Amino acid sequence: MMDPQRPDFIVGIDVGMTCTGVAYANLMDQEFSPPEVKLICEWAYVLDKDCKVPTQVVYARDDIQHGPVAWGFGSEARLKLADDTVSGHWFKQRFCPSSRSKMKAHADEPIDPNLPSVDTLYEDFLAKVYGHIRGEIENRELVKHNREWESCSINFLFSVPATWDSTSVEHFKTLAAKAGFGREPGHSVAASLTEPEAVVIFTIQEEQIEFENGDNILIVDAGGGTTDLCLVKIDKQDRNMVSLAELGPVVGEDAGAAYIDSAFQDLVLEALSKGGRERLTSPPETVAWEMMRSSVFQDWKHSLGVTNSRKGDALMLKIPGLGDRDTSTESNIVRGRMSIERSQLARVFDEQVEEIAKMVDRLVEHMEIRRLGQLNYIILSGGLGSSPYIQNKLKARYGARSSQKMLENLVFHLSKEPRLCVCKGLVHDRLHHLYTGSSTFTRLCSQFSFGILKDEGYDHRKAHHQAAKREKKLKTLVGSKRLVGDCAKWLIKRRFAKNLHHRFESSVPRWGLVGQVTIVSSIESEPPAYFAPDNGVKKVKVLHCDYSRVEVRERPWYRLRSNYQQVDFKIEATVGATEAIFNCLSLDDGLKLSRQPVRIPAQAEAMERGCTQAALFG
C-alpha cells in the first residue's frame, strides 16, 4: 500500500562530528516498489569520490560576518593557503555537551575567540550542505523530469545523537530551517530517528544477516563524538517485512574517534613541551592539529589492530616547520620527526574501549534483570566502530564471557557501510512507512513518562487526597462532589515498550473541562500520582481544545445553574521514535478537538511558567 501523500524525494542527513553523510531516494519514477537509496559521493573541491564530507567551515579572520570562505574538503587547502583564516570544526560536541564531556562549551560561546558562535557554525555549514544537495538533485534527477526544485515535495530527515536533549533537537531543527531546509512550500524537516535506530533500520534492510524471530540485537554506533546504543528484538519477520521492538530507551555517551584525535594532540603537545617547540614556526597547538590531521597519522591510526599491518611498532611523524637537522632526545624527535610508540596510541584507544564497554555492560545487566533472554548480535557501526582495534577488544572482552548463558551465542557483526548506514537508514525507514503503511518499529521505549493533569473525585484511601484535605485544597461542585486537583494520569511510562500506534485513552464522561489540558513528564518509571513543585513531575506543554463541535449532554434540572458543561472526550497519546504526540478527541466519533496536536521530543523539559492548567474531572 502506497501512501497517497508520498514526496518526490526523501533525503537523509547524518551530520557527524567529523564528517557528514547524505543519502536520498527519488520516488518520481517508482510508484509500486521502493526506489534505490543513493548516496551523494561527489563534493566540492575533490576530484575523487568520497561519500562523506568533513564537517568543517573556514572563515577569513577579519571578515567573519560575510560567512565561510571554504567548507568541507576545501577547508584544509584554504587553511594552508592563507594565515588569516580560522577553522570551525568539532562543533557538534559543543552544541549539547554532557556534564562528563571533555569538550565543554556553551552554544553562545565561540570555540575560538576569532570564530562565530556554535549556532552560527552549524547554520553556515548546513547552508553549504543544503546548497550542495540542491545542486546534486537538480543536476542528476530533476533535469530528467523537467522539474524545478521549488515545485518538488521533499522530506529532509536528520538523525540526532542519543545524548541530545529535547531542547537541543528542537534548536537544531530551527538552525536547519534557517539554513534553507524546509524553506519551500513542499519541503519538510524532521529529526526522525536517533543514530542507532537508523543503523538498525539499515541493518534490517541491507545487511545479509539471517535473523530469527526473537533474536536480540544490540547496535553500537561509535562515531566521531558520541557512542549510542540501541537494544531491539526481532518481533516478527516474514518474506516481505521485519518488525522490531525496542527493549529499552536509546542511550549514549561522549565517546568517539574525536577523543582519540584530541588525546593524540595532547601527546604531541606534551612531547613538544620537553624540547623542540622553540624552533617551531607556528604555535604548538597548530602544529599538533596539523600532525593529527595528517594522512600519515590517520592511516596509522586506522591500521591499529590489523593483524598483518606493516606499519611497525612506532610512527615517525613529520613535524611541520622542523628540518632534518632538528633532533631532541627529550621529545623523541629525530631529524624533524617525532617518534610515537604504537603502545601509546593503544592506551588512548583503550580509554574509549572502556567507555563503550561500560555502556554495553549496563545493557547486558538490564537484560539479565528483566530476563529478556540471550543477546544474539552486536552490530558495530560508525567511524570508531569500524576500527579493527575496537572490534578485537570488544570481541575479546565479551567472547571471554561466553560461558555466561545470555552471551553464549553472541555474534559480532561490522556494518557493511559503517560510516554511511545512518543516513541510508533514515531514508529506508521513511520508504518502509510509505510503501507498507506501517513502521519498522512495533514497540518503542520512551525516555520519559508522560501524562496529563486532571481533577479526581476525593478518595480517603489515597494519601495525596488526604493531604489535599488537610491543606484545605479540595474543590466542591454541585451535588457535593469533592475534587482533588493536580492529579496525574500517566499515559506513557518510561522504559516500558508500547505499541507504536496504540491509543492511550483517558475518558472523562460526566464532568466539564476548561479547554486546556496540561501535559506533564517525569524521569521515573513509576512516577508520582500528583503534581508538586518538588516531586519531579514537570509541566511540559498545554494542549488547547475546542469543544464547540461536541454535543453537550443535557443536564438535570437541579444542575441548570452550574457553571460548567458536560462533555465526553478522550486524550490520545502516540509513542514515536523521537517524540510523543498528544491529541484530544471526541469519545463518540473520534473527531479531533485539539486545535493542534502537541508534539513532545523524547526528552522533555519543563515548560515556561504562566501556562494555564487544565481542569479535567473524573
Side-chain angles (χ1 to χ4, degrees):
M1 179 183 68
M2 181 63 186
D3 191 324
Q5 301 299 319
R6 70 172 187 172
D8 297 315
F9 291 92
I10 301 169
V11 182
I13 306 157
D14 173 30
V15 182
M17 184 165 173
T18 56
C19 291
T20 293
V22 179
Y24 72 93
N26 180 354
L27 286 76
M28 298 172 72
D29 294 326
Q30 299 288 334
E31 183 174 355
F32 301 107
S33 60
E36 175 189 1
V37 177
K38 302 176 183 179
L39 292 164
I40 291 182
C41 290
E42 293 188 10
W43 298 91
Y45 306 106
V46 290
L47 297 176
D48 296 327
K49 290 187 176 182
D50 192 321
C51 292
K52 295 198 84 171
V53 63
T55 307
Q56 187 175 4
V57 282
V58 175
Y59 299 83
R61 191 182 302 272
D62 299 326
D63 197 18
I64 287 178
Q65 66 272 17
H66 283 88
V69 294
W71 72 286
F73 286 105
S75 300
E76 293 301 319
R78 186 57 186 258
L79 288 169
K80 293 178 181 178
L81 183 64
D83 294 332
D84 61 343
T85 53
V86 288
S87 171
H89 54 270
W90 289 4
F91 45 85
K92 181 178 182 178
Q93 201 64 16
R94 294 172 171 85
F95 186 67
C96 181
S98 73
S99 58
R100 297 175 299 278
S101 176
K102 300 175 185 177
M103 301 179 186
K104 295 179 182 178
H106 298 288
D108 58 349
E109 294 178 356
I111 302 169
D112 180 296
N114 297 307
L115 282 171
S117 68
V118 174
D119 281 10
T120 302
L121 292 173
Y122 249 124
E123 185 179 337
D124 287 347
F125 177 75
L126 289 173
K128 294 295 185 182
V129 172
Y130 174 76
H132 191 80
I133 292 172
R134 174 173 179 167
E136 285 291 300
I137 292 180
E138 283 181 332
N139 295 331
R140 295 181 178 276
E141 308 291 346
L142 294 184
V143 67
K144 297 183 295 186
H145 297 274
N146 195 27
R147 291 282 302 276
E148 298 292 332
W149 175 261
E150 292 81 3
S151 67
C152 291
S153 173
I154 304 177
N155 293 167
F156 292 105
L157 308 176
F158 287 90
S159 61
V160 295
T163 56
W164 281 12
D165 57 28
S166 63
T167 304
S168 298
V169 173
E170 290 303 299
H171 188 48
F172 174 80
K173 288 165 61 178
T174 299
L175 295 177
K178 289 181 178 179
F181 292 97
R183 179 181 298 160
E184 307 300 337
H187 298 186
S188 64
V189 179
S192 58
L193 293 173
T194 61
E195 289 162 2
E197 287 170 337
V199 173
V200 75
I201 296 295
F202 171 85
T203 302
I204 295 300
Q205 295 293 336
E206 292 202 21
E207 299 281 5
Q208 302 299 316
I209 303 176
E210 295 184 2
F211 294 116
E212 296 182 1
N213 287 341
D215 278 351
N216 291 326
I217 306 168
L218 177 60
I219 300 296
V220 180
D221 183 42
T226 62
T227 295
D228 299 332
L229 273 62
C230 178
L231 181 62
V232 300
K233 179 187 287 290
I234 300 294
D235 196 34
K236 178 184 177 182
Q237 70 170 350
D238 54 35
R239 293 180 180 178
N240 301 315
M241 188 180 302
V242 175
S243 299
L244 301 170
E246 272 190 349
L247 300 179
V250 175
V251 295
E253 294 286 351
D254 289 334
Y259 290 98
I260 293 173
D261 291 343
S262 180
F264 175 77
Q265 289 177 259
D266 291 340
L267 285 176
V268 172
L269 287 171
E270 181 182 359
L272 289 174
S273 69
K274 298 175 182 177
R277 64 186 302 163
E278 67 279 356
R279 284 165 281 179
L280 298 176
T281 57
S282 299
E285 293 77 13
T286 301
V287 170
W289 167 261
E290 291 180 5
M291 293 173 66
M292 179 275 292
R293 295 285 288 179
S294 69
S295 60
V296 175
F297 168 71
Q298 292 297 324
D299 289 345
W300 195 67
K301 180 182 72 174
H302 295 151
S303 74
L304 190 69
V306 177
T307 305
N308 59 352
S309 173
R310 298 180 182 179
K311 299 293 184 180
D313 294 327
L315 169 67
M316 299 299 294
L317 190 59
K318 181 74 173 67
I319 302 174
L322 297 191
D324 291 344
R325 296 183 179 181
D326 294 309
T327 297
S328 170
T329 305
E330 297 84 357
S331 300
N332 293 325
I333 298 174
V334 180
R335 301 182 66 181
R337 287 171 169 78
M338 182 176 292
S339 176
I340 301 168
E341 297 295 324
R342 182 171 285 264
S343 58
Q344 291 178 279
L345 185 60
R347 286 193 292 272
V348 171
F349 266 78
D350 287 340
E351 293 178 6
Q352 301 307 305
V353 171
E354 284 303 310
E355 292 296 324
I356 295 171
K358 287 177 185 177
M359 299 171 65
V360 175
D361 287 344
R362 287 196 293 268
L363 278 178
V364 170
E365 182 181 4
H366 165 77
M367 293 182 68
E368 289 179 319
I369 293 173
R370 294 191 60 192
R371 298 181 180 180
L372 297 176
Q374 291 186 339
L375 180 59
N376 303 101
Y377 291 90
I378 289 181
I379 309 293
L380 293 169
S381 64
L384 184 60
S386 63
S387 162
Y389 188 86
I390 295 292
Q391 296 169 46
N392 294 339
K393 282 288 186 176
L394 292 177
K395 287 178 181 178
R397 185 183 185 109
Y398 295 101
R401 293 166 58 181
S402 59
S403 58
Q404 190 175 347
K405 184 171 179 58
M406 69 173 304
L407 298 176
E408 62 183 2
N409 295 316
L410 179 62
V411 175
F412 278 84
H413 177 81
L414 172 64
S415 173
K416 69 176 186 179
E417 295 191 72
R419 299 173 70 241
L420 298 164
C421 51
V422 172
C423 62
K424 294 186 78 172
L426 292 168
V427 180
H428 277 301
D429 181 61
R430 180 70 176 126
L431 287 173
H432 180 88
H433 186 271
L434 285 170
Y435 282 87
T436 67
S438 62
S439 171
T440 307
F441 286 101
T442 58
R443 288 181 293 164
L444 290 168
C445 291
S446 175
Q447 301 264 20
F448 276 70
S449 295
F450 293 104
I452 59 174
L453 291 185
K454 57 178 289 188
D455 289 348
E456 290 181 348
Y458 176 73
D459 185 342
H460 68 277
R461 294 169 295 182
K462 296 182 178 181
H464 63 286
H465 285 205
Q466 296 174 14
K469 182 179 180 181
R470 288 194 301 271
E471 297 170 9
K472 297 181 180 181
K473 293 183 178 180
L474 295 183
K475 304 175 184 179
T476 303
L477 295 181
V478 175
S480 299
K481 184 178 180 67
R482 293 181 296 178
L483 300 175
V484 179
D486 282 347
C487 296
K489 172 69 175 180
W490 296 104
L491 308 180
I492 300 171
K493 294 290 188 72
R494 180 179 185 267
R495 290 191 179 275
F496 287 92
K498 299 292 185 182
N499 291 335
L500 187 62
H501 295 292
H502 184 71
R503 267 60 171 171
F504 303 88
E505 296 185 1
S506 177
S507 301
V508 185
R510 299 189 182 280
W511 303 94
L513 56 101
V514 299
Q516 294 186 14
V517 179
T518 299
I519 300 170
V520 292
S521 72
S522 171
I523 192 64
E524 302 296 332
S525 299
E526 292 297 333
Y530 61 98
F531 167 78
D534 58 353
N535 70 349
V537 178
K538 298 180 180 295
K539 295 180 180 179
V540 182
K541 286 188 178 181
V542 169
L543 180 66
H544 296 274
C545 306
D546 179 5
Y547 303 102
S548 61
R549 295 172 292 175
V550 180
E551 181 179 354
V552 177
R553 293 179 180 267
E554 294 185 3
R555 291 169 290 175
W557 63 269
Y558 54 83
R559 291 187 180 177
L560 291 178
R561 289 190 176 183
S562 64
N563 59 358
Y564 63 91
Q565 299 287 340
Q566 181 178 329
V567 296
D568 293 349
F569 75 99
K570 62 182 176 182
I571 300 296
E572 171 192 271
T574 304
V575 184
T578 59
E579 62 187 3
I581 303 172
F582 283 78
N583 268 301
C584 183
L585 307 176
S586 168
L587 191 63
D588 296 326
D589 55 14
L591 182 69
K592 285 190 178 181
L593 308 180
S594 41
R595 297 169 185 170
Q596 292 290 337
V598 166
R599 299 176 181 272
I600 304 173
Q603 294 181 319
E605 305 294 331
M607 69 181 183
E608 296 180 1
R609 295 180 181 178
C611 293
T612 305
Q613 178 187 325
L616 302 182
F617 309 133

